[in-house]
Amino acid sequence: MREALQLAESACGWVSPNPMVGALIVKEGRIIGRGCHERYGQPHAERNALANCSESPEGATMYVTLEPCCHHGKQPPCVEAILEAGIREVFVGSADPNPLVAGKGIRILREHGLSVTEDLLREECDRLNEVFLHYIQTERPFVAMKYAMTLDGKIAAYTGASKWVTGEQARSHVQQLRHRYSGIMVGVGTVLADDPLLNCRMPGGKNPIRIICDSQLRTPLSAQVVSTAQQYPTILATCCEDAEKHQPYLAAGCRVFVIDEKNGRVDLQALMQRLGQEKLDSILLEGGGTLNWAALESGIVQKLYAYLAPKLFGGDGAKTPVEGRGFPSPAEAVLLKNSSIQRLGDDFLIESEVEQNVHGDR
């Protein structure tokens, strides 16, 4: 199952909004077939593993990281392929909460006499597909907040200079995240301050869809996110209903989403609902302190990537990762859980889950 997990991970960034899945086929103690779901719309892991078998899989055992599907989508049901191949035993990692599957795949296999063992390395398999499991159950994107800061909590010097807070290895890791997540979101303040391109600079990487939260439509037409919109898909989320103001952005290749207003800004809960309808399953939030606060306050964030640099900027006016009003007491803070730490060159990455649900109820 651990090897199946590695196979699944190898397709990271290419299968969304489908899950990453890996499968191994073992016969008489030998691995005779390996496969993963390689690209969205292409054959699933089970069918790829069967197609790659070095000998007949009849009587063999399959290890698969997610419950085999039993419905027709872009591909035929995997349970049919498993039955036709004569597999006799199946070990499953994660259950599939998709209402079209949700235990039906396992039930069909058992009804046909196969031995099925569930929840093998369940925790690891669930973690691999945290995006899919969230999206399929909520129909909203999984949102991961990312920021880089010094050990005194600054994301820029008091002058606004921020290149670079972290070193090369940490910045390279960020590009991997841009490949992994389907969308990348910033506020108009970041666009005005930094004029970012927001693409993926990892060799062979996939570019995320760019989402700009711009309540009053202040993004300059000369901004890189506008001038390159024909090359990289770009969405402007705004409260501005003036069709004339939309037109130049539409002509440049942007899409403009008019979203309900909340406290004078784009309602982030409403935006998540709209993006979910667009089949956008995940977002990397790379905004500044204002958008980060709004995202946390509205309860849309599921994960945090905090890059810590062994530097001290100082400055009572230097920007911090989360600004806004803040919570009035420690008891009301957003709690983080299941944290891990990784060294990246001289820097450190802390990954944490946010302990609140998608609707912001604590």
Side-chain angles (χ1 to χ4, degrees):
M1 188 62 83
R2 293 196 188 281
E3 187 166 341
L5 278 164
Q6 291 175 358
L7 284 168
E9 177 76 20
S10 70
C12 173
W14 297 114
V15 299
S16 62
N18 282 355
M20 291 178 277
V21 184
L24 253 73
I25 300 172
V26 177
K27 189 173 185 178
E28 297 174 357
R30 294 173 287 107
I31 296 175
I32 64 170
R34 296 175 172 86
C36 71
H37 181 31
E38 297 175 1
R39 291 289 189 277
Y40 176 71
Q42 294 186 10
H44 293 177
E46 298 93 325
R47 289 183 176 271
N48 280 334
L50 290 167
N52 292 330
C53 277
S54 57
E55 59 185 88
S56 170
E58 187 171 357
T61 298
M62 175 179 285
Y63 294 82
V64 61
T65 58
L66 184 71
E67 178 182 357
C69 65
C70 55
H71 65 286
H72 284 270
K74 290 184 178 295
Q75 295 294 326
C78 288
V79 292
E80 289 183 1
I82 293 170
L83 295 173
E84 290 169 1
I87 296 290
R88 286 289 171 257
E89 184 176 25
V90 179
F91 287 85
V92 176
S94 294
D96 189 341
N98 185 337
L100 297 173
V101 185
K104 300 184 186 76
I106 289 172
R107 187 180 71 242
I108 291 170
L109 294 176
R110 284 177 172 155
E111 287 173 349
H112 284 79
L114 276 70
S115 170
V116 180
T117 300
E118 301 177 63
D119 299 334
L120 181 61
L121 298 185
R122 171 70 179 267
E123 187 175 333
E124 291 93 326
C125 291
D126 283 355
R127 190 181 306 119
L128 174 75
N129 278 312
E130 59 186 0
V131 165
F132 169 76
L133 295 174
H134 173 86
Y135 177 70
I136 201 69
Q137 294 178 88
T138 67
E139 299 183 338
R140 297 177 181 219
F142 180 97
V143 178
M145 177 186 293
K146 165 263 163 184
Y147 57 75
M149 72 177 188
T150 60
L151 285 182
D152 57 344
K154 310 298 185 182
I155 61 173
Y158 75 92
T159 60
S162 60
K163 292 186 178 179
W164 295 104
V165 174
T166 53
E168 191 172 325
Q169 284 190 42
R171 299 200 300 273
S172 176
H173 189 272
V174 171
Q175 300 307 313
Q176 295 175 36
L177 295 183
R178 290 185 178 186
H179 167 75
R180 173 183 288 266
Y181 287 87
S182 298
I184 182 170
M185 187 164 80
V186 301
V188 66
T190 296
V191 174
L192 293 171
D194 301 333
D195 190 23
L197 187 56
L198 302 177
N199 65 336
C200 176
R201 295 186 289 277
M202 185 182 86
K206 173 183 63 65
N207 289 304
I209 294 173
R210 304 178 301 189
I211 304 132
I212 315 301
C213 288
D214 185 358
S215 302
Q216 304 305 318
L217 219 51
R218 295 186 294 137
T219 299
L221 293 173
S222 59
Q224 289 195 92
V225 289
V226 178
S227 63
T228 60
Q230 299 283 1
Q231 185 178 357
Y232 307 120
T234 304
I235 295 169
L236 296 175
T238 184
C239 304
C240 175
E241 299 182 14
D242 187 341
E244 278 191 35
K245 289 190 72 174
H246 297 177
Q247 195 53 47
Y249 299 104
L250 296 172
C254 300
R255 300 178 70 191
V256 178
F257 290 0
V258 177
I259 305 296
D260 290 342
E261 178 183 310
K262 186 173 183 179
N263 299 325
R265 300 179 184 275
V266 166
D267 183 337
L268 294 179
Q269 285 284 356
L271 176 58
M272 292 305 107
Q273 185 174 358
R274 176 67 186 275
L275 294 174
Q277 292 168 357
E278 294 285 325
K279 306 300 182 186
L280 202 66
D281 68 345
S282 57
I283 293 171
L284 183 63
L285 182 62
E286 286 202 32
T290 300
L291 182 59
N292 285 348
W293 163 251
L296 288 170
E297 185 182 36
S298 66
I300 67 168
V301 182
Q302 280 73 52
K303 189 165 187 173
L304 173 70
Y305 295 96
Y307 297 85
L308 306 182
K311 301 175 182 177
L312 303 171
F313 281 179
D316 57 7
K319 289 187 175 295
T320 60
V322 182
E323 296 178 350
R325 180 188 50 159
F327 295 110
S329 72
E332 296 178 71
V334 172
L335 301 179
L336 305 176
K337 62 181 181 179
N338 297 331
S339 298
S340 65
I341 187 165
Q342 175 184 355
R343 186 162 188 165
L344 298 170
D346 291 329
D347 305 309
F348 297 91
L349 167 63
I350 297 178
E351 290 185 41
S352 299
E353 297 173 18
V354 176
E355 198 172 74
Q356 60 179 23
N357 69 30
V358 71
H359 301 297
D361 301 324
R362 291 189 183 81

